[in-house]
Amino acid sequence: MQHQLFEKADTKRGRFRGLMLSALQHYAANAHRHDQAQQRRPAGGFVAADEVMAEGGNTAILGVDRHTPEDAFTQSWARMLLARVVDTLDRECRATGKQTHFEIFKRFMLMPILDGVPAPSQRDMAAECGLTEKEVANRLVTARRAYQRLLREEIAQYAADSAEVDAEIRDLFATLSRPV
């Protein structure tokens, strides 16, 4: 913020997310350099990793991180983006009287991914909602299309054109397919 980063943003020079990632990298490098210069040795001394593991510790205590700051930033960005899109879909469905659409979408698409629960059968969902299986299938397709539209709209807010939106969506799903 002190360096007026937002004023320097230029769509001709790349994606806004790239600018933010670059700023994060510079900040992390400077913070790391500062931390290392201040503290060459921990105040309590060094502890052998074998001792920590022998006392029932795990690698998280040792600060072992197999992910880079870039991975953490990208994962965080992807999760926040999807959360905004889901919230927007929920509000849109409520506003148009299509709460059942969102509930079906949530039960079939979101809960299996986020909570690891199995998706219900269309027959069970139809009985629960008082619909036919065909109506459940149609509402699921309608909600999925709305979700895809909202995702594209969200990304289009900071993408230069539709090709960049497509590239961002590919990046998003590649990011989410990597282990956390």
PDB file of all heavy atoms in Angstrom, residues 47-64:
ATOM      1  N   VAL A  47      16.889 -27.723  18.871  1.00  0.00           N
ATOM      2  CA  VAL A  47      16.390 -29.020  19.321  1.00  0.00           C
ATOM      3  C   VAL A  47      16.500 -29.963  18.138  1.00  0.00           C
ATOM      4  O   VAL A  47      16.096 -29.626  17.021  1.00  0.00           O
ATOM      5  CB  VAL A  47      14.915 -28.926  19.780  1.00  0.00           C
ATOM      6  CG1 VAL A  47      14.388 -30.273  20.181  1.00  0.00           C
ATOM      7  CG2 VAL A  47      14.776 -27.921  20.904  1.00  0.00           C
ATOM      8  N   ALA A  48      17.018 -31.142  18.383  1.00  0.00           N
ATOM      9  CA  ALA A  48      17.167 -32.116  17.307  1.00  0.00           C
ATOM     10  C   ALA A  48      15.791 -32.600  16.863  1.00  0.00           C
ATOM     11  O   ALA A  48      14.906 -32.841  17.681  1.00  0.00           O
ATOM     12  CB  ALA A  48      18.005 -33.297  17.788  1.00  0.00           C
ATOM     13  N   ALA A  49      15.632 -32.772  15.572  1.00  0.00           N
ATOM     14  CA  ALA A  49      14.360 -33.254  15.033  1.00  0.00           C
ATOM     15  C   ALA A  49      14.029 -34.630  15.588  1.00  0.00           C
ATOM     16  O   ALA A  49      12.863 -34.938  15.843  1.00  0.00           O
ATOM     17  CB  ALA A  49      14.427 -33.303  13.513  1.00  0.00           C
ATOM     18  N   ASP A  50      15.042 -35.456  15.804  1.00  0.00           N
ATOM     19  CA  ASP A  50      14.807 -36.797  16.360  1.00  0.00           C
ATOM     20  C   ASP A  50      14.171 -36.715  17.741  1.00  0.00           C
ATOM     21  O   ASP A  50      13.304 -37.520  18.083  1.00  0.00           O
ATOM     22  CB  ASP A  50      16.112 -37.581  16.431  1.00  0.00           C
ATOM     23  CG  ASP A  50      16.693 -37.870  15.049  1.00  0.00           C
ATOM     24  OD1 ASP A  50      15.893 -37.882  14.084  1.00  0.00           O
ATOM     25  OD2 ASP A  50      17.908 -38.080  14.944  1.00  0.00           O
ATOM     26  N   GLU A  51      14.575 -35.725  18.544  1.00  0.00           N
ATOM     27  CA  GLU A  51      14.000 -35.569  19.878  1.00  0.00           C
ATOM     28  C   GLU A  51      12.527 -35.186  19.797  1.00  0.00           C
ATOM     29  O   GLU A  51      11.706 -35.705  20.549  1.00  0.00           O
ATOM     30  CB  GLU A  51      14.750 -34.483  20.666  1.00  0.00           C
ATOM     31  CG  GLU A  51      16.157 -34.853  21.076  1.00  0.00           C
ATOM     32  CD  GLU A  51      16.853 -33.701  21.773  1.00  0.00           C
ATOM     33  OE1 GLU A  51      16.179 -32.942  22.503  1.00  0.00           O
ATOM     34  OE2 GLU A  51      18.067 -33.547  21.565  1.00  0.00           O
ATOM     35  N   VAL A  52      12.203 -34.290  18.897  1.00  0.00           N
ATOM     36  CA  VAL A  52      10.809 -33.868  18.744  1.00  0.00           C
ATOM     37  C   VAL A  52       9.963 -35.061  18.316  1.00  0.00           C
ATOM     38  O   VAL A  52       8.888 -35.304  18.868  1.00  0.00           O
ATOM     39  CB  VAL A  52      10.683 -32.713  17.720  1.00  0.00           C
ATOM     40  CG1 VAL A  52       9.232 -32.403  17.419  1.00  0.00           C
ATOM     41  CG2 VAL A  52      11.402 -31.485  18.229  1.00  0.00           C
ATOM     42  N   MET A  53      10.443 -35.818  17.342  1.00  0.00           N
ATOM     43  CA  MET A  53       9.685 -36.968  16.853  1.00  0.00           C
ATOM     44  C   MET A  53       9.573 -38.046  17.931  1.00  0.00           C
ATOM     45  O   MET A  53       8.535 -38.690  18.055  1.00  0.00           O
ATOM     46  CB  MET A  53      10.337 -37.547  15.593  1.00  0.00           C
ATOM     47  CG  MET A  53      10.334 -36.577  14.413  1.00  0.00           C
ATOM     48  SD  MET A  53       8.708 -35.920  13.985  1.00  0.00           S
ATOM     49  CE  MET A  53       7.983 -37.381  13.296  1.00  0.00           C
ATOM     50  N   ALA A  54      10.610 -38.236  18.728  1.00  0.00           N
ATOM     51  CA  ALA A  54      10.579 -39.239  19.789  1.00  0.00           C
ATOM     52  C   ALA A  54       9.558 -38.882  20.868  1.00  0.00           C
ATOM     53  O   ALA A  54       8.985 -39.761  21.509  1.00  0.00           O
ATOM     54  CB  ALA A  54      11.966 -39.389  20.407  1.00  0.00           C
ATOM     55  N   GLU A  55       9.302 -37.600  21.061  1.00  0.00           N
ATOM     56  CA  GLU A  55       8.342 -37.161  22.069  1.00  0.00           C
ATOM     57  C   GLU A  55       6.922 -37.091  21.498  1.00  0.00           C
ATOM     58  O   GLU A  55       6.032 -36.506  22.103  1.00  0.00           O
ATOM     59  CB  GLU A  55       8.749 -35.799  22.622  1.00  0.00           C
ATOM     60  CG  GLU A  55      10.031 -35.854  23.434  1.00  0.00           C
ATOM     61  CD  GLU A  55      10.454 -34.481  23.933  1.00  0.00           C
ATOM     62  OE1 GLU A  55       9.637 -33.536  23.838  1.00  0.00           O
ATOM     63  OE2 GLU A  55      11.595 -34.365  24.398  1.00  0.00           O
ATOM     64  N   GLY A  56       6.703 -37.675  20.336  1.00  0.00           N
ATOM     65  CA  GLY A  56       5.359 -37.719  19.762  1.00  0.00           C
ATOM     66  C   GLY A  56       5.025 -36.524  18.908  1.00  0.00           C
ATOM     67  O   GLY A  56       3.864 -36.320  18.552  1.00  0.00           O
ATOM     68  N   GLY A  57       6.007 -35.721  18.575  1.00  0.00           N
ATOM     69  CA  GLY A  57       5.760 -34.551  17.738  1.00  0.00           C
ATOM     70  C   GLY A  57       5.566 -34.952  16.292  1.00  0.00           C
ATOM     71  O   GLY A  57       5.716 -36.110  15.912  1.00  0.00           O
ATOM     72  N   ASN A  58       5.215 -33.981  15.480  1.00  0.00           N
ATOM     73  CA  ASN A  58       5.092 -34.259  14.050  1.00  0.00           C
ATOM     74  C   ASN A  58       5.877 -33.213  13.273  1.00  0.00           C
ATOM     75  O   ASN A  58       6.403 -32.260  13.836  1.00  0.00           O
ATOM     76  CB  ASN A  58       3.618 -34.306  13.612  1.00  0.00           C
ATOM     77  CG  ASN A  58       2.909 -32.988  13.812  1.00  0.00           C
ATOM     78  OD1 ASN A  58       3.520 -31.924  13.770  1.00  0.00           O
ATOM     79  ND2 ASN A  58       1.615 -33.051  14.030  1.00  0.00           N
ATOM     80  N   THR A  59       5.921 -33.386  11.972  1.00  0.00           N
ATOM     81  CA  THR A  59       6.749 -32.490  11.157  1.00  0.00           C
ATOM     82  C   THR A  59       6.220 -31.060  11.142  1.00  0.00           C
ATOM     83  O   THR A  59       6.970 -30.139  10.871  1.00  0.00           O
ATOM     84  CB  THR A  59       6.834 -33.007   9.704  1.00  0.00           C
ATOM     85  OG1 THR A  59       5.513 -33.154   9.190  1.00  0.00           O
ATOM     86  CG2 THR A  59       7.578 -34.311   9.634  1.00  0.00           C
ATOM     87  N   ALA A  60       4.954 -30.847  11.458  1.00  0.00           N
ATOM     88  CA  ALA A  60       4.412 -29.479  11.494  1.00  0.00           C
ATOM     89  C   ALA A  60       5.104 -28.670  12.578  1.00  0.00           C
ATOM     90  O   ALA A  60       5.351 -27.477  12.423  1.00  0.00           O
ATOM     91  CB  ALA A  60       2.906 -29.509  11.737  1.00  0.00           C
ATOM     92  N   ILE A  61       5.472 -29.327  13.694  1.00  0.00           N
ATOM     93  CA  ILE A  61       6.167 -28.650  14.782  1.00  0.00           C
ATOM     94  C   ILE A  61       7.548 -28.192  14.310  1.00  0.00           C
ATOM     95  O   ILE A  61       8.045 -27.153  14.712  1.00  0.00           O
ATOM     96  CB  ILE A  61       6.307 -29.587  16.004  1.00  0.00           C
ATOM     97  CG1 ILE A  61       4.929 -29.866  16.586  1.00  0.00           C
ATOM     98  CG2 ILE A  61       7.239 -29.010  17.046  1.00  0.00           C
ATOM     99  CD1 ILE A  61       4.915 -30.935  17.644  1.00  0.00           C
ATOM    100  N   LEU A  62       8.122 -28.969  13.435  1.00  0.00           N
ATOM    101  CA  LEU A  62       9.467 -28.652  12.960  1.00  0.00           C
ATOM    102  C   LEU A  62       9.460 -27.561  11.894  1.00  0.00           C
ATOM    103  O   LEU A  62      10.510 -27.106  11.478  1.00  0.00           O
ATOM    104  CB  LEU A  62      10.125 -29.909  12.371  1.00  0.00           C
ATOM    105  CG  LEU A  62      10.273 -31.071  13.345  1.00  0.00           C
ATOM    106  CD1 LEU A  62      10.804 -32.285  12.609  1.00  0.00           C
ATOM    107  CD2 LEU A  62      11.189 -30.694  14.490  1.00  0.00           C
ATOM    108  N   GLY A  63       8.293 -27.162  11.467  1.00  0.00           N
ATOM    109  CA  GLY A  63       8.222 -26.127  10.440  1.00  0.00           C
ATOM    110  C   GLY A  63       8.451 -26.684   9.053  1.00  0.00           C
ATOM    111  O   GLY A  63       8.762 -25.948   8.144  1.00  0.00           O
ATOM    112  N   VAL A  64       8.314 -27.990   8.885  1.00  0.00           N
ATOM    113  CA  VAL A  64       8.495 -28.586   7.571  1.00  0.00           C
ATOM    114  C   VAL A  64       7.276 -28.224   6.732  1.00  0.00           C
ATOM    115  O   VAL A  64       6.147 -28.480   7.113  1.00  0.00           O
ATOM    116  CB  VAL A  64       8.635 -30.125   7.677  1.00  0.00           C
ATOM    117  CG1 VAL A  64       8.681 -30.740   6.294  1.00  0.00           C
ATOM    118  CG2 VAL A  64       9.870 -30.475   8.466  1.00  0.00           C
TER     119      VAL A  64
END
